[in-house]
Amino acid sequence: MKKEQELKDIVKERYTRIAEQGKAENAASCCGATTPSNKIYNIMMDDYSETDGYNEAADLGLGCGLPTQFAKIKTGDTVIDLGSGAGNDCFVARHETGSEGKVIGIDFTPIMIEKARTNAEKLGYNNVEFREGDIDAMPISDNVADVIVSNCVLNLVPNKQKVIGEIHRVLKPGGHFSISDIVLVGNLPDALKEDAEMYAGCVAGAIQKSEYLQLITDRGFQNVTIQKEKPITIPDDILSKYLSADEINAFNKDATGIFSITVYAEKEGTVSEKPKIKLSEISEGLTCSPDTGCC
């Protein structure tokens, strides 16, 4: 297996190209990184189109779940989206937290940040921002977020333990996360595990489901719950690029399973109430409106 920085460079290069692909091409492949299948359209992604806050221009078809659906975001929350892409989950989160809250998207691909910022400007969202950076070294202060979401991104990071530690650091005491990701039960064939394309395609970088959940528990998170789980089937016309016909047959009959899971967990501590704006603190002559929080 390649070194951490090599893997990061592969992902950054692939996702720079993926950002320019259409949603259909991304959805019909493994996270946009592999040759599209002729047999299956939505290999990994779930349909966002009926979700409140959905923005079609921000949907690149790269997710493997709907973490915002399970994230328990409340009005006024500060939400961080890890691997924010063109901003889709951020805009859905913004619908939930409202103009009173704050949404921060983090992505390490400059073109994704550019696309997300353009989308936010078109929508007129001044409480949604996008920061360029690695999610295993977030450009975020300690104890900032009420909620963290992420959609099919941690599997792309070589050091998942470090990401889990960063999530713990930036969450407020009592805060929580809802993360959709790809995990394994059983071992992938070597040809899939060692291929850079399959790594960028969210498969080769996935770890065992039990190990994934243990990393979360070991960091001290509480009430760890799988909110949703679904099997992922890689079509034979994609597998044929990496495996022989006999290997494909053996892989399909094997006990190996590739799954999308959405995991919820809470940071230890007590959730503190958000400060309320008191009428006595409102400057004389200030017009009272929903945006000032005094109505």
Side-chain angles (χ1 to χ4, degrees), residues 176-252:
H176 64 270
F177 69 74
S178 181
I179 291 175
S180 295
D181 222 342
I182 300 295
V183 295
L184 306 174
V185 175
N187 294 315
L188 287 175
D190 288 342
L192 296 184
K193 285 194 296 185
E194 297 300 325
D195 191 89
E197 202 172 55
M198 292 305 288
Y199 190 93
C202 305
V203 176
I207 62 175
Q208 296 295 312
K209 175 181 172 182
S210 58
E211 181 184 355
Y212 193 99
L213 297 175
Q214 192 63 52
L215 286 175
I216 296 170
T217 302
D218 287 349
R219 190 58 190 83
F221 284 100
Q222 302 171 347
N223 298 323
V224 181
T225 307
I226 294 180
Q227 297 169 304
K228 183 178 179 179
E229 180 170 350
K230 67 174 184 179
I232 302 295
T233 300
I234 301 177
D236 289 355
D237 61 339
I238 290 181
L239 290 175
S240 64
K241 187 175 178 180
Y242 313 94
L243 306 174
S244 68
D246 288 342
E247 288 172 328
I248 291 172
N249 187 51
F251 176 69
N252 289 334

Side-chain angles (χ1 to χ4, degrees), residues 100-173:
E100 302 94 324
K102 174 78 172 178
V103 182
I104 303 169
I106 302 172
D107 203 288
F108 79 160
T109 310
I111 191 171
M112 290 290 192
I113 293 292
E114 182 182 342
K115 279 180 171 288
R117 287 172 176 167
T118 298
N119 288 329
E121 287 171 4
K122 288 180 179 178
L123 292 166
Y125 291 161
N126 57 14
N127 62 332
V128 181
E129 69 169 286
F130 296 93
R131 302 182 185 179
E132 186 178 338
D134 287 13
I135 64 170
D136 61 4
M138 295 185 210
I140 302 284
S141 300
D142 297 354
N143 305 316
V144 166
D146 298 288
V147 183
I148 288 177
V149 296
S150 186
N151 198 345
C152 213
V153 174
L154 268 69
N155 51 72
L156 299 172
V157 182
N159 193 335
K160 295 168 181 57
Q161 184 176 21
K162 192 174 179 182
V163 180
I164 298 297
E166 280 290 274
I167 291 171
H168 189 275
R169 178 182 68 81
V170 303
L171 275 173
K172 296 176 182 177

Side-chain angles (χ1 to χ4, degrees), residues 75-78 94 96-102 127 274 290-291 293:
T75 300
D77 276 347
T78 296
R94 197 271 182 190
E96 300 302 313
T97 193
S99 59
E100 302 94 324
K102 174 78 172 178
N127 62 332
K274 298 178 180 64
D291 288 337

